[in-house]
Amino acid sequence: MADTTAPSTTAPTSTTTPGRRKAVSLTRTPTWAWALPPVLVLALGFLYPLALVVRQSFTPESLEDSGASLTPYTEVFASTVFREALTTTVWLAVGATVGCLVLGFVLALVIAFVPFPGGKAVARFIDVFLSFPSFLITLALLFIYGSVGMANGAWTGVTGAAEGPFHFLTTPWGVLLAEITYFTPFVMRPLLAAFSQLDTAQLEVASSLGAGPVRIVRQVILPEALPALAAGGSLVLVLCLNEFGIVLFTGAKGVTTLPMLVYSKAILESDYPAACVVAVVNIALSVGLYSLYRVVSRRAGA
């Protein structure tokens, strides 16, 4: 006798686990909900304070209740102090960047291609050096070349003079030396990463064909290092434009940069509209240089 039992029509039991249900619910979350938390943090922590600075820069102290005005900008741009601070900031940043590129490239070449005891330890120290605060390097230079530093102390001890000959730290050249000393590792780090990926067979072939060290550096190593030089140089340039601690700790009273001018206007003179104007100019200069670097690097394929 044939089995005429009808197939069961009972719905299959769901095998969805709690973890699976959670994953499905997450995929149904709108995209804007995931973007909302970082946008809120960015808006409250950066954009809102920046908007307050820009707003204050258009609000003269004498006309605080009468709306926006360009008076703070015209007064600041017309002042000799601002123009001198802008010129000093630019030439210090450019000079420090050039010095860091030259010194960083030479030191990175030595560390990467000249075998010597402790080379790997020096390369690791570069990473540690990047975490040092800028004023620490300035204090170290003061201990060596300051008015009562080791160099002047040794000079007076040997010659019997009333004071030593080293007083350059309180001049623009002292600030330049401190910035080059501190920011050179920011150029060396991307250079060492680029040199580590360079095919050493190219160097061996060039050497076997009779190329000298200078020609190998110029025709083989330098083209490979250009993107790293551009990245490190642009970073140093932007950082030097906004450097405050080095200028402050060197005690260079005749050196006024844009960050120092912001400090002077806001803290010492309580002229907040003028301080905000200088801050806006400094931000615009930094963002403009960074945008220019991005355009050039994109066209160069870096």
Side-chain angles (χ1 to χ4, degrees):
M1 182 176 178
D3 187 2
T4 58
T5 304
S8 175
T9 58
T10 304
T13 304
S14 174
T15 59
T16 305
T17 62
R20 176 62 178 172
R21 288 195 298 270
K22 183 178 180 180
V24 172
S25 63
L26 289 177
T27 58
R28 294 178 180 177
T29 304
T31 305
W32 61 266
W34 293 103
L36 187 60
V39 169
L40 288 176
V41 172
L42 180 64
L44 295 177
F46 176 74
L47 296 179
Y48 179 66
L50 180 61
L52 291 179
V53 171
V54 175
R55 178 185 176 184
Q56 185 67 36
S57 69
F58 288 98
T59 307
E61 288 184 336
S62 59
L63 303 173
E64 192 166 0
D65 299 328
S66 51
S69 172
L70 291 175
T71 302
Y73 282 88
T74 57
E75 292 178 352
V76 170
F77 289 168
S79 65
T80 305
V81 175
F82 170 77
R83 293 196 296 269
E84 291 178 350
L86 180 61
T87 303
T88 302
T89 302
V90 172
W91 88 257
L92 278 176
V94 173
T97 302
V98 173
C100 290
L101 288 174
V102 175
L103 183 60
F105 183 72
V106 173
L107 293 179
L109 276 178
V110 173
I111 295 174
F113 299 109
V114 179
F116 63 94
K120 293 183 178 180
V122 173
R124 294 192 187 98
F125 177 74
I126 298 300
D127 296 332
V128 179
F129 189 91
L130 297 178
S131 64
F132 288 174
S134 59
F135 69 84
L136 184 62
I137 305 303
T138 309
L139 285 178
L141 291 176
L142 287 174
F143 283 133
I144 299 175
Y145 299 109
S147 300
V148 293
M150 297 169 55
N152 284 322
W155 178 273
T156 56
V158 172
T159 63
E163 60 180 13
F166 303 104
H167 302 286
F168 62 90
L169 279 183
T170 57
T171 67
W173 299 108
V175 176
L176 186 64
L177 173 63
E179 290 188 348
I180 292 175
T181 303
Y182 178 70
F183 289 112
T184 294
F186 288 82
V187 175
M188 295 177 62
R189 183 64 267 172
L191 280 175
L192 290 175
F195 291 160
S196 65
Q197 299 178 358
L198 184 64
D199 188 4
T200 56
Q202 301 181 32
L203 306 181
E204 296 173 357
V205 170
S207 178
S208 64
L209 293 176
V214 176
R215 187 175 181 182
I216 292 176
V217 171
R218 186 179 67 251
Q219 296 185 354
V220 180
I221 298 179
L222 184 58
E224 297 292 334
L226 285 179
L229 282 172
S234 61
L235 177 61
V236 170
L237 181 61
V238 173
L239 291 176
C240 288
L241 285 173
N242 300 283
E243 181 55 40
F244 174 76
I246 289 178
V247 183
L248 180 65
F249 275 81
T250 53
K253 298 180 179 180
V255 180
T256 302
T257 59
L258 291 180
M260 286 294 296
L261 188 59
V262 173
Y263 172 80
S264 176
K265 291 293 184 182
I267 305 302
L268 303 181
E269 303 177 19
S270 298
D271 189 355
Y272 296 107
C276 291
V277 169
V278 179
V280 169
V281 172
N282 202 4
I283 293 172
L285 187 61
S286 301
V287 174
L289 286 175
Y290 177 75
S291 301
L292 179 62
Y293 159 72
R294 293 299 300 171
V295 171
V296 172
S297 61
R298 189 180 300 112
R299 291 183 178 180

